[in-house]
Amino acid sequence: MINRYAVILAAGQGTRMKSKLYKVLHPVCGKPMVQHVVDQVSKLQMERIVTVIGHGSDQVKAQLGDKISYANQAEQLGTAHAVMQAKDFLENKDGVTVVVCGDTPLITSETLEALSSYHLETSAKATVLTAVAEDPTGYGRIVRNNIGEVEKIVEHKDASEEEKQIVEINTGTYCFDNAALFEALNNVTNENVQGEYYLPDVIEIFKKQGEIVSAYKTGDFSETIGVNDRIALAEAERLLKKRVNEEHMRNGVTIIDPSNTYIGTDVTIGSDTVILPGTIISGQTTIASDCVIGPNTEIGNCVVGESTEIRQSAAFDSKIGANVNIGPFAHIRPASLIGDDVKIGNFVEIKKAEFGDRSKASHLSYIGDAKVGSDVNIGCGTITVNYDGENKFLTTIEDGAFIGCNSNLIAPVKVGKGAYVAAGSTITDDVPAESLSIARARQVNKDDYMKKSKQD
């Protein structure tokens, strides 16, 4: 079995982005560009993945974690120089190495697999991933000989007028015989307009040595685009959004308005779920079948059960059960656990709370740091007063309790099973099971008070 390696080029600052955030960390569909690339490369079961970093190295490491290796390119002197930084990890190893740029977020594992397979089939020392571009300006051109073999790759700045008419371009992704790659890198020079060490020069070195150089042409140019500025970033977002939405629709999800629906690449959605316009679903979110999500709803890192409806609301880092009705204008904050057959109505906020099966808070309530049992009714305007200015405390509401409107539950406090809290109460002590608690000032009516005040 052939050993496979990968080198991901992620050292550039990306000055054209005009941003404090380093280029490869700019998100596309909610995920940094370089993370997209690493995720796709990782599907190929590489022996080792080396990411070449420079600018923003600490931030890139923090994003990608410790499952890959890092090589530092302190001074950016070109793509060949960047790959050379990985020699301590890969030099003299047998196998093939894929080189891909960290600013190509649309590249897929399927294309990288096809590139690697074609490389092995042709017994090549190097295989270039190419594509046909409507406007090849800025790209290196693939120069072929009269029998269609790759003769050389010419950078746009170094190309003649005739070579600039070529529309088959170098995408910047390659597959190499690993040992031959690092041997050839020692012979690359910087005798060009930019004064940089170009990785495509390795192709010319192999050709002079009589080695086989092949090219695998992808049919989807959009998959290979690199992001160098905000315009390209927006285009990558549009293309990836389209790809993701179409995949969900093919799998049985109804997306009413795909152009105004934003779904992350790691989101899973069951069949017959309907996604309405203005919805954003991100992170490691799983939505079951037969749900209705939206319009104008944001969900991040949540698990949502079957037949749940979330309308014009936001939910993050929580688990939501089946047959739940949320919204409009509800907010499910992190670490919440919503049971089955629950109703969370308009302008209700749930934070770090368990909410039991068949319980409901229909409107205008804050339930934070709470454990709510099953079959609980929480009336309009109820607040679990969880914070004393220094610490957070737990409110417990047991099964079948009824909380009247405009009640304040001053934590830590417990309302027992089947208890009833009268509307307008401020509860500071535990309420025993099956009890009625009234904690409000007695009403006093002063007859004719206003009439007399007007006469004075």
Side-chain angles (χ1 to χ4, degrees), residues 343-354:
K343 181 178 181 181
I344 306 293
N346 52 295
F347 301 104
V348 174
E349 182 174 350
I350 309 291
K351 191 275 293 187
K352 199 177 180 181
E354 295 182 24

Side-chain angles (χ1 to χ4, degrees), residues 22-33:
Y22 295 103
K23 180 173 74 169
V24 297
L25 294 177
H26 279 266
V28 176
C29 286
K31 183 190 293 185
M33 288 191 284

Side-chain angles (χ1 to χ4, degrees), residues 3 49 54 62 68 90 93 161 184-185 217 412 447:
N3 291 327
I49 299 172
I68 60 177
L90 301 179
K93 291 185 179 293
E161 289 304 314
L185 285 171
K217 186 188 295 184
D447 295 340

Side-chain angles (χ1 to χ4, degrees), residues 406-427:
N406 293 319
S407 293
N408 298 308
L409 307 179
I410 312 298
V413 71
K414 180 170 75 173
V415 177
K417 184 176 181 179
Y420 193 111
V421 173
S425 294
T426 295
I427 302 300

